[in-house]
Amino acid sequence: HSRRSMTHMYCLLNLSFIVIFCICLFLVYSEELPTYKSMPKGQAVPKVERAEFNGNPDSLFFNDGKRRIDFVLVYEDESKSVSEKKGSVMRRRQRRREFFEGSLMNMGVELEATQSVVDEKLVYVKVHMPFEVLCTYAEVLHIKLPIQPNDLAPQSSAYNCFTHHFYPSEDVIAKEADFFTAPFQKDQLKCFWVKDREQFFTPAMRSRMAYYILSRAPYDVKGNVKKFGFNKLLDGGVYKAAYPLHDCRFNVKSKEPDCPNERFLLYNEWAHPKSFYKMQPLDLIRKYFGEKIGMYFAWLGFYTVMLTLAAAVGLGCFIYGYTTRETSTWSKEVCDPRIGGEIVMCPQCDEICPYWRLNTTCESSKRLCIFDNYGTLVFAIFMSVWVTLFLEFWKRYQAELEHDWDTVEFLQQEEQPRPEYEAKCIYERVNPVTQETEKVPYTACGKCMRVSCGIGTVLFWVLLIIASVVGVIVYRLAMFITFSSKLRSELNNRKELEPFKEYVTPQMATSITASIISFIIIMILNSVYEKVAIWITDFELPRTKTEYENSLTLKMFLFQFVNYYSSCFYIAFFKGKVVGYPGQPVYWLGSLRNEECDPGGCLTELTTQLSIIMTGKAVWNNIQEVLLPWVKNLMFRHCTQVGSEKVIPRWEQDYRLQPIGKLGLFYEYLEMVIQFGFVTLFVASFPLAPLLALFNNLCEIRVDAWKITTQFRRVVPEKAQDIGAWQPILQGVAILAVATNAAIIAFTSDMIPRLVYYWAFSVSPYSDGSDHTMTGYINSSLSVFNIADFKETIRPSEEITPYRDFRHPPSHPNQYDFSIYYWHVIAAKLAFMIVVEHIVYFTKFMLSYMIPDMPEALKEQIKRERYLTQVILHETNIKHFKELMKPIADNLQNEIEEPELDLTL
């Protein structure tokens, strides 16, 4: 009987454990996590607490000095407004704002309003997230938080070993502590490393969660229709601004005892020009601005470091070409009065263009030798390998950053749908993964329609760019005739312009003016297309912010690719290729003769185009990035100038700064990727492009750092796992660069014709010589035309007509048809492209295969950390569960012991 009683009691004990455990699980997982929460119907709208400024300009807290300010909203008080015509608009704004603030307070957020010190019409609403609210939304956003200090030895990177000497001193910027982390769960708070509840969530985390709540708080409810999100209120003028606070002034330390002064440290050790030689404090940048901005500056810094090697090799190639330009055989023949001086060339336009002697292009020929030499071929192949190494090593470095910044599983765990997406969810569908019903904003047909509309709009704008390129080509054809008829006569008639006669040719003048016009068209189309691309992407309604940014990035880059590179592709691969011959030239629109390359070759024009666009783009961007925000801030401070006796609070100082654009870092990435295209796609024509890019990037890092630290309000920190859609774009540019550089060397430069002459036509049976030589190449590259075959409408008034082509002479049975030399050259060009492309692509593939995206040691460390994290969480959960069950177990044990005592008695 006693044994049956004992067994019965133990079964009851185990059953109690199971029931209590299930109840705990039910309480944990049945809780509905808050997303949108408005006030119950009929409830009075609570009023925001008002407080006067306490006179502390460095304070980051409410007036009580305890509650931290996580976000600031700014609005204009309608009661102080002098406008009477917009009374109904003002009342609607006030009603929406009060409802919005009431919704925030109903969600647990604390608010405090303070009138402006400078402008009495402005009111600043300070937002504070209590600890309970932070815990709730940390679980919603799957934010990873520390559970235990990481005692594993960190893996050293080869990149860091090379650059650690240039990092700021650890005495100034302390090294961040390393922890084991796990996605936060509110019911398991005891599992996490909570030393101070106020410091447990960093300011960046608090601002991110505050932004999440503000983006989803309702401001108007009509029936089943709920309007929400402060972004709509900003667009509608209900609020004038919304931003998190900087922790101090950028050039003065805060007087608050617990202020970390991170903005001050970033300015002195990173953004200040005196720190140009230092490596970037990426951990502090990530801590202050968030992972997305940290990832951008990490990529830009890595790209700049890798450019040093490319710039050094390119500079060596340029120096080689510059030192050999005087000794080049073909340039000496052009400049020789007995060779080039005796060759009189055909006119390059109809009727008004004169004959010209070949030696007048002596300087152009020497300039061509600087860029068109065998060193360029070696450099083009080197750059194809360099770009592969750059992308592969960046993947490895990015993997290290993902590990160090806890973003390895970000996309799978943390990213939430955009509020704009959730607001339009009116249709139902079955989720293919969970097999549960969920809300979506469009049907399959509707999504197809949206995507088709976006594709059609993008294609229309691409065609518009192509039309503008055609317009520039027509300008080149028309202006070449004008310059040919007037430029030479002006230079001959004016003695002060005599020194420029050898340098300024009609082709050069046409190319420079067309490049400037092309640059202006590029800037105008950019400003218009930006609005179109944003509208298309908004219409497509992507689900997450990453999907939104990737979609917008792809549209913008496709447009920018055509916009920036179309003129370069025209000069490199189309100009001067289909021009006919003097007796039968090819015409555009029936009257405009197709333009030929400069006597020095189209490669010189391509170099000019690249240098103008790269230099003009860099200057224009620096003006926009430096002068515009600085001038705007200066004007705003001047317009809101107050007496020196007034103390301005931290939130009001930040309001005077410029807001960050809606696209954030998009234009910073776009600028660098477009530059990356110039550096890789056309580097065979301009070996100095990496050097110019290196100088620009050294300035760009500090300019961007200075701008974001001193001239802009603090951005809302965002998580990012990588550089997003820019990674496949860079890979696509790298693949295309192999083909473009091989085509430039084959079809734009004169390298292949020279090699064909050297190895085939300088010896028997095509020549009397027995040794391979470049002597006589110039004569072999020219064909002869009989002036009697000119049409009356285009016949010039001179005689003797050689021209540049590989055609049979007038006395040949197949006169003016392509000669055997031409077909040898074409065959060599095609063979060169096929062989070089296959060799380089095979090399790229092997390098990509041999260099893993993630170091093996890092993989092992990630697995080890995941295992230890699971062990720690498991042990902590068991310990916590035992603590919860101990009182119940003690009571049951006492109940068991009492019947045993009775039985004994």
Side-chain angles (χ1 to χ4, degrees), residues 755-813:
L755 289 174
V756 170
Y757 176 80
Y758 181 82
W759 291 106
F761 286 84
S762 65
V763 295
S764 178
Y766 300 104
S767 178
D768 296 333
S770 58
D771 296 329
H772 296 284
T773 179
M774 286 303 300
T775 304
Y777 167 73
I778 294 300
N779 279 321
S780 71
S781 65
L782 300 176
S783 299
V784 180
F785 184 79
N786 189 350
I787 60 172
D789 295 329
F790 271 123
K791 296 179 181 179
E792 292 295 331
T793 56
I794 61 174
R795 178 175 294 181
S797 56
E798 304 282 344
E799 298 181 356
I800 313 173
T801 55
Y803 60 99
R804 192 175 185 184
D805 209 341
F806 302 111
R807 294 179 182 268
H808 291 299
S811 58
H812 196 275

Side-chain angles (χ1 to χ4, degrees), residues 260-276:
N261 294 297
E262 291 173 350
R263 186 188 185 195
F264 177 80
L265 291 176
L266 284 171
Y267 175 72
N268 278 286
E269 300 296 326
W270 177 49
H272 198 282
K274 69 179 182 181
S275 303
F276 75 94

Side-chain angles (χ1 to χ4, degrees), residues 95-320:
R95 183 178 66 253
R96 289 185 169 183
R97 184 177 63 253
E98 290 176 352
F99 191 94
F100 178 74
E101 293 169 355
S103 299
L104 289 175
M105 288 186 281
N106 195 49
M107 296 164 74
V109 178
E110 297 178 2
L111 306 178
E112 183 180 80
T114 301
Q115 191 174 11
S116 171
V117 175
V118 177
D119 186 354
E120 62 178 9
K121 291 187 294 183
L122 294 180
V123 178
Y124 295 84
V125 180
K126 294 164 281 184
V127 179
H128 170 72
M129 304 269 289
F131 186 76
E132 288 298 321
V133 177
L134 289 170
C135 289
T136 300
Y137 284 93
E139 184 171 359
V140 173
L141 297 175
H142 301 280
I143 294 178
K144 289 185 176 181
L145 290 164
I147 56 176
Q148 184 175 307
N150 189 343
D151 54 357
L152 296 179
Q155 295 290 333
S156 60
S157 167
Y159 176 73
N160 290 335
C161 291
F162 174 74
T163 58
H164 77 277
H165 299 289
F166 300 97
Y167 279 101
S169 172
E170 290 189 6
D171 297 333
V172 179
I173 299 180
K175 189 176 181 180
E176 292 292 321
D178 194 13
F179 289 89
F180 292 111
T181 60
F184 184 77
Q185 293 182 1
K186 189 176 180 180
D187 63 295
Q188 296 184 351
L189 182 61
K190 290 189 176 181
C191 300
F192 291 87
W193 188 265
V194 185
K195 281 192 171 182
D196 184 356
R197 291 166 67 97
E198 297 301 322
Q199 301 295 329
F200 181 56
F201 297 101
T202 65
M205 293 178 185
R206 299 174 69 104
S207 298
R208 183 178 160 213
M209 287 185 276
Y211 181 85
Y212 181 86
I213 293 178
L214 292 171
S215 300
R216 287 158 174 79
Y219 62 82
D220 197 3
V221 177
K222 292 181 180 178
N224 294 327
V225 179
K226 185 182 293 185
K227 300 179 179 179
F228 53 85
F230 76 111
N231 288 317
K232 295 286 187 182
L233 298 180
L234 286 172
D235 295 336
V238 177
Y239 288 104
K240 297 179 72 67
Y243 50 89
L245 290 180
H246 284 294
D247 63 349
C248 64
R249 296 171 64 185
F250 71 87
N251 55 354
V252 178
K253 281 189 174 183
S254 172
K255 296 180 181 178
E256 291 289 302
D258 296 329
C259 180
N261 294 297
E262 291 173 350
R263 186 188 185 195
F264 177 80
L265 291 176
L266 284 171
Y267 175 72
N268 278 286
E269 300 296 326
W270 177 49
H272 198 282
K274 69 179 182 181
S275 303
F276 75 94
Y277 64 93
K278 294 182 180 179
M279 298 299 294
Q280 303 180 88
L282 293 177
D283 288 335
L284 184 58
I285 297 170
R286 170 249 181 175
K287 180 182 177 184
Y288 191 76
F289 291 114
E291 284 80 4
K292 179 170 284 190
I293 290 181
M295 191 65 71
Y296 163 72
F297 281 104
W299 176 82
L300 181 56
F302 186 83
Y303 172 45
T304 304
V305 170
M306 289 292 290
L307 272 176
T308 54
L309 179 60
V313 178
L315 181 61
C317 177
F318 174 81
I319 293 174
Y320 168 78

Side-chain angles (χ1 to χ4, degrees), residues 292 411 415 537 540 542 544-558 666 722-729:
K292 179 170 284 190
L411 293 179
E415 193 159 27
T537 311
E540 289 178 356
T544 64
K545 189 167 184 180
T546 298
E547 293 176 2
Y548 180 90
E549 291 178 349
N550 290 347
S551 178
L552 180 62
T553 296
L554 187 60
K555 292 182 183 66
M556 287 294 291
F557 180 76
L558 180 62
F666 173 79
D722 48 35
I723 60 175
W726 298 110
Q727 183 79 26
I729 286 174

Side-chain angles (χ1 to χ4, degrees), residues 511-567:
S511 178
I512 292 175
T513 55
S515 298
I516 295 172
I517 292 174
S518 178
F519 174 73
I520 295 172
I521 292 175
I522 286 172
M523 291 298 130
I524 294 174
L525 290 178
N526 277 349
S527 60
V528 178
Y529 182 75
E530 174 192 339
K531 298 178 178 59
V532 176
I534 293 174
W535 177 83
I536 296 171
T537 311
D538 290 339
F539 179 72
E540 289 178 356
L541 209 61
R543 182 176 181 273
T544 64
K545 189 167 184 180
T546 298
E547 293 176 2
Y548 180 90
E549 291 178 349
N550 290 347
S551 178
L552 180 62
T553 296
L554 187 60
K555 292 182 183 66
M556 287 294 291
F557 180 76
L558 180 62
F559 175 83
Q560 301 285 0
F561 183 90
V562 180
N563 201 6
Y564 277 106
Y565 302 141
S566 55
S567 58

